[in-house]
Amino acid sequence: MSLFDKYAPLQTRLDMMMKIGQDALGVKFDNILSATRGRIGNRDILLAGTNNYLGLTFDEDCMTAAKKAVDDHGTGTTGSRVANGTYSEHTDLERELADHLGMPSCVVFTTGYQTNLAAISGLAGDKDVIFMDADAHACIIDGTRLTNASTIRFRHNSPEDLDKRLKRQGEIEGGNALVVIEGMYSMFGDIAPIDEFLDVTHRHGGYLYIDEAHSYGVFGPTGCGIAEEQGVLDKVDFISGTFSKSLASVGGFCASRHPEFEVLRKVMRPYMFTASATPSNICAALAAVEKVKSGKHLRDNLKARAAQLHKGLSEMQYDLCAEASPVIAIRRPNEGVAAAEWNWLIENGVYVNLAVPPGTPQSSSLLRISLSAAHTEADIKQLLKAFGDLKDNQGAILQSMMGRLQAAE
Ligand code: PMP
């Protein structure tokens, strides 16, 4: 028995994917030309699966800030936030984000993933109880694994189910309840009723933590996210987010209305024991926060493009997972069909995400589209044409898939 034998079932699954086409978990872009255009091999591709919600990766001010940061401070910090890795730009960014969210405390981390690992494991001690949405992202789940706090999952997007479980839990002796949800969920693009979650959580004396990774920059009058959109931002206990989507960089943040959150800088292991974000990442994000604050026109365009695409796909009778939002996921009957169609879309100049279990809710197989404010009306027409052609060619696509699988046997 080798160390790798346990991965035999996974290898079989990957082999099947490779027979159908290319490795969906290993796509290589040979060139990225703009927020919406790239090249795979010698093929021009419309990018519609990059989480680049505001299209700022090629914004001139963000690019200039990143380049200047390299000139001013070099390419890396070579140390952790608690040693030599805190530069004035890291604390400037923390101040900017705290001011934007109207919260007294904000901590910046090296990635969004590490943000949730650090903040959730730091906040919840042995005697606390974490209540987590059933569709929580991997880094929320992993955060709960870094602490001895017990974890209870409640039905996705159901404040009623949370209420029931909090009631059943009763008084937590020597500890508190930490409720963790997301603003917009990454796979289906569905949105949490934060106002209702706040009501339930606070009624039971708990704290509400919201991961707005996919919603910061995208929702709310000034882009603070779903909590701002629903008018309850000032009541939320913790907001986390990432720089890798609307902020067009790499890194993450957690802000709190509790100034005591600052003390966690001295205990959060994924903050203390890893190198800090590079100067160029931090300065690009700093420039991007300014764009978010004044980005109503970007959000308006994103909303209009999402409505255009959602309407068009609905008219084609595609099975969509949620109402119109910048993430539009199409449910496919199984992994094989989804993989065949995903490959066909790339061959026809369109990149979306292939999302399959275990990373998806309800074990669904999805073609997941994420839109950008940089997409034009014409880009959405191109996407709709591709999905229309996909429908027209479904028989041939499935036949070709079967042929490829048989030929490889
Ligand atoms: N939270 C959610 C909901 C996410 O979807 C992701 C990544 N897609 C993260 C956190 C982690 O962010 P990052 O990729 O910036 O580490």
Side-chain angles (χ1 to χ4, degrees):
M1 165 112 188
S2 102
L3 260 183
F4 303 102
D5 282 356
K6 54 184 166 290
Y7 296 114
L10 172 62
Q11 191 57 56
T12 305
R13 212 171 142 199
L14 292 174
D15 290 346
M16 191 195 82
M17 286 268 184
M18 295 301 287
K19 285 174 199 162
I20 293 173
Q22 58 175 306
D23 176 7
L25 298 179
V27 178
K28 178 169 71 81
F29 292 97
D30 293 287
N31 206 348
I32 297 291
L33 306 166
S34 73
T36 57
R37 291 292 184 288
R39 285 178 75 76
I40 297 179
N42 54 12
R43 191 175 286 120
D44 283 328
I45 301 282
L46 171 64
L47 302 173
T50 61
N51 305 312
N52 196 352
Y53 296 121
L54 298 185
L56 295 178
T57 50
F58 280 79
D59 176 88
E60 225 161 86
D61 294 332
C62 295
M63 289 169 79
T64 303
K67 289 175 196 166
K68 183 171 182 309
V70 173
D71 288 340
D72 290 350
H73 302 294
T75 52
T77 64
T78 67
S80 126
R81 290 296 309 272
V82 294
N84 57 301
T86 295
Y87 296 1
S88 55
E89 285 79 0
H90 290 85
T91 54
D92 289 349
L93 181 53
E94 289 175 339
R95 197 68 270 136
E96 271 291 314
L97 285 164
D99 287 350
H100 186 207
L101 292 161
M103 294 185 167
S105 171
C106 180
V107 180
V108 157
F109 300 83
T110 309
T111 68
Y113 178 86
Q114 285 162 311
T115 301
N116 283 336
L117 280 194
I120 292 169
S121 63
L123 287 166
D126 293 5
K127 295 188 172 151
D128 300 314
V129 181
I130 301 169
F131 292 81
M132 170 175 69
D133 188 282
D135 288 356
H137 187 266
C139 58
I140 295 175
I141 298 169
D142 293 354
T144 69
R145 289 178 178 162
L146 280 189
T147 146
N148 289 326
S150 48
T151 303
I152 293 171
R153 297 180 87 146
F154 56 88
R155 197 143 34 85
H156 174 57
N157 258 352
S158 172
E160 297 77 23
D161 194 47
L162 171 65
D163 190 30
K164 224 180 337 178
R165 287 168 197 272
L166 280 163
K167 255 189 215 137
R168 200 179 298 158
Q169 176 67 38
E171 183 78 19
I172 301 171
E173 211 173 303
N176 289 278
L178 178 68
V179 175
V180 186
I181 61 172
E182 294 169 37
M184 180 177 81
Y185 283 81
S186 58
M187 284 295 132
F188 283 3
D190 53 336
I191 285 164
I194 292 179
D195 42 357
E196 294 174 45
F197 275 115
L198 261 173
D199 180 51
V200 172
T201 304
H202 286 171
R203 198 153 29 80
H204 288 276
Y207 292 76
L208 186 66
Y209 182 109
I210 309 174
D211 178 355
E212 297 248 30
H214 290 266
S215 31
Y216 177 83
V218 174
F219 293 92
T222 71
C224 285
I226 304 282
E228 186 191 34
E229 176 115 338
Q230 295 179 3
V232 293
L233 181 58
D234 59 329
K235 298 191 183 65
V236 178
D237 297 288
F238 307 98
I239 297 262
S240 73
T242 174
F243 304 161
S244 68
K245 305 183 195 312
S246 287
L247 292 179
S249 181
V250 172
F253 68 88
C254 183
S256 177
R257 71 186 176 93
H258 305 283
E260 306 94 303
F261 183 56
E262 287 294 314
V263 76
L264 268 75
R265 289 181 196 269
K266 309 293 188 276
V267 296
M268 294 183 290
R269 295 167 70 86
Y271 174 82
M272 299 171 71
F273 297 106
T274 194
S276 64
T278 67
S280 55
N281 283 143
I282 293 294
C283 291
L286 257 171
V289 171
E290 286 311 309
K291 304 277 165 171
V292 165
K293 288 200 254 179
S294 61
K296 184 178 176 306
H297 59 296
L298 299 174
R299 286 184 280 281
D300 287 348
N301 190 51
L302 184 56
K303 203 168 173 182
R305 299 288 75 82
Q308 183 190 352
L309 182 67
H310 195 276
K311 181 167 178 286
L313 291 173
S314 302
E315 283 167 3
M316 290 179 206
Q317 314 287 325
Y318 274 110
D319 182 5
L320 306 182
C321 295
E323 299 300 306
S325 82
V327 170
I328 297 179
I330 304 173
R331 216 186 295 266
R332 305 309 300 140
N334 59 54
E335 187 171 309
V337 170
E341 294 178 346
W342 176 81
N343 276 287
W344 185 92
L345 285 167
I346 291 185
E347 284 158 18
N348 286 273
V350 167
Y351 174 77
V352 301
N353 304 123
L354 173 64
V356 292
T360 52
Q362 301 160 17
S363 295
S364 45
S365 296
L366 308 171
L367 293 171
R368 173 190 180 271
I369 301 164
S370 64
L371 291 178
S372 171
H375 281 128
T376 62
E377 214 175 321
D379 290 336
I380 304 301
K381 282 188 184 152
Q382 185 186 334
L383 264 177
L384 285 170
K385 162 101 176 52
F387 277 95
D389 291 347
L390 178 71
K391 268 229 151 172
D392 293 343
N393 286 289
Q394 240 148 19
I397 293 167
L398 292 189
Q399 226 168 19
S400 149
M401 174 183 81
M402 296 311 286
R404 287 186 209 192
L405 287 173
Q406 275 160 6
E409 264 167 15

